[in-house]
Amino acid sequence: MAELFSYTFFQHALIGSLLASILCGLVGTYIVTRRLVFISGGITHASFGGVGLGVYLGLPPVGFAALFAVLSACGIQWFSRRRDMREDSAIAIFWTLGMSIGIICSFLTPGFTSELSSYLFGNILTVTRSDLYFLAILTAVVAVVFSLFLRPLLSVAFDPVFARSQHLPVDVIEYVMMGFIALSIVACLRIVGVVLVISMLTIPQVTANLFTSSFRHMLCLSMPIGYAGCLGGFALSYHYNIPSGASIIFVSTMLYLVCKGGCVLFAVLKHNKRPK
C-alpha cells in the first residue's frame, strides 16, 4: 500500500479527509450542541437539486450545490421563525424540493451521469485540486471565525434566549452559522456524498461527547476522531473495493460503538470497585 502515496489522487484523498475532519469538527460541534441535525439533513438533501441542475446545464455542480444549500439554509431559518409554519414543515419543503429537482435533472440529462452518482454516494478518490482549495479556504475562514467569536458562538449554541438578553446579535450569528453549515455540507459531498454527509457532521462529535461535555474540548477531540474514521474507511474501501463514503461512515459508527462500550464497561468496573 506504500506505493499509493506516490499517486496524486491518493494524496488528494488524504489532504481532503484531513481538511474535512477539521471543518466538520468545528461546524459539527455547533450542530450537535445547537441540536440542528435535522435541519442539516434538510440542507444536505436540498443541495442535491443544485448538483443535478449543474450536471444538466454542463456547469460546475459544486457552485450550484452551494447556492441551493445556502438559499435552503436561509429559507429554513426564515420560515421556522414565522408563526404560520413549523420548523419541521419548512425543512420538509426544502428537503423534498431539492431532491425532486435533482432527480428530474438526472432523468433529463442525456447519457449515463456518473458524476451524479459520485455526489450522491461519495467517492473520496474523485477529490480534485479545486475541491481542496474550496475546503482549505472554507476551513480557514471557519477556524478564524471560531477563534475570534468563540464566546458568542458558545452562548448562542447553548442558550439563544440568554444570548439575546445579553444583547448579542443572535439572528446574525445564526444566519452566518447556517451559511457555514450549508457550505461545509457542499465541501464534503465528494468525500461521503449527499446520503451520508450529515453523519460526518455528527458522529465524531457524538463520540467526542462521550469523553467531555466541554464545547472547546469537543471541538478539538472530534477532529482526530473524524480523521481516524476517514482513514479507517479509506483503508476498508481500498481493501474490499467498496464505496469509500459508506466505508468512512461505517468505521466512524463502529468507533463510536467501541468508545460507548468502553465507557459503559469503565463505569460498571468503577461502580463495582466502590466499597459496599
Side-chain angles (χ1 to χ4, degrees):
M1 192 175 178
E3 69 275 6
L4 286 175
F5 286 92
S6 61
Y7 292 109
T8 303
F9 70 86
F10 188 79
Q11 297 169 5
H12 286 177
L14 292 179
I15 297 172
S17 57
L18 175 61
L19 292 172
S21 299
I22 297 173
L23 178 62
C24 292
L26 294 168
V27 177
T29 302
Y30 178 84
I31 290 174
V32 172
T33 306
R34 189 70 173 81
R35 298 181 180 180
L36 299 175
V37 177
F38 188 44
I39 291 179
S40 303
I43 299 171
T44 301
H45 288 79
S47 68
F48 183 65
V51 173
L53 186 60
V55 171
Y56 174 70
L57 297 176
L59 297 173
V62 173
F64 280 92
L67 179 63
F68 267 62
V70 171
L71 290 178
S72 298
C74 293
I76 291 172
Q77 184 71 13
W78 185 78
F79 274 113
S80 62
R81 292 191 173 278
R82 293 177 60 87
R83 295 183 178 180
D84 57 347
M85 180 174 289
R86 290 169 44 184
E87 184 179 72
D88 56 349
S89 300
I91 295 170
I93 289 173
F94 286 95
W95 182 317
T96 53
L97 176 63
M99 289 299 295
S100 63
I101 293 174
I103 294 170
I104 290 171
C105 290
S106 67
F107 274 90
L108 292 177
T109 304
F112 176 69
T113 54
S114 58
E115 198 169 11
L116 270 176
S117 178
S118 67
Y119 279 108
L120 192 58
F121 301 106
N123 187 350
I124 198 171
L125 298 180
T126 63
V127 174
T128 63
R129 189 178 295 273
S130 60
D131 293 328
L132 292 181
Y133 286 146
F134 179 41
L135 261 173
I137 293 171
L138 182 59
T139 302
V141 171
V142 172
V144 170
V145 170
F146 268 75
S147 300
L148 296 177
F149 304 103
L150 182 60
R151 192 174 296 275
L153 288 172
L154 265 170
S155 299
V156 174
F158 281 101
D159 195 345
V161 176
F162 174 77
R164 202 178 297 275
S165 70
Q166 299 301 305
H167 306 292
L168 290 174
V170 175
D171 291 338
V172 174
I173 292 174
E174 288 183 339
Y175 273 102
V176 169
M177 288 307 302
M178 290 294 279
F180 282 150
I181 291 170
L183 293 176
S184 300
I185 288 169
V186 174
C188 297
L189 287 183
R190 286 276 197 184
I191 297 175
V192 291
V194 169
V195 176
L196 300 170
V197 69
I198 189 59
S199 300
M200 202 170 179
L201 288 162
T202 54
I203 296 177
Q205 291 72 26
V206 174
T207 306
N209 198 28
L210 294 173
F211 305 101
T212 179
S213 58
S214 168
F215 188 87
R216 292 180 177 87
H217 293 164
M218 278 181 65
L219 284 175
C220 299
L221 190 56
S222 61
M223 296 177 193
I225 292 175
Y227 194 46
C230 288
L231 294 180
F234 193 22
L236 187 69
S237 172
Y238 171 79
H239 186 73
Y240 291 103
N241 193 27
I242 54 180
S244 59
S247 301
I248 290 171
I249 303 306
F250 176 78
V251 171
S252 298
T253 305
M254 291 300 104
L255 185 60
Y256 166 77
L257 292 176
V258 169
C259 292
K260 180 66 174 179
C263 290
V264 172
L265 181 61
F266 177 78
V268 171
L269 293 176
K270 185 178 180 180
H271 177 74
N272 292 336
K273 284 183 179 181
R274 289 179 181 177
K276 298 181 180 180

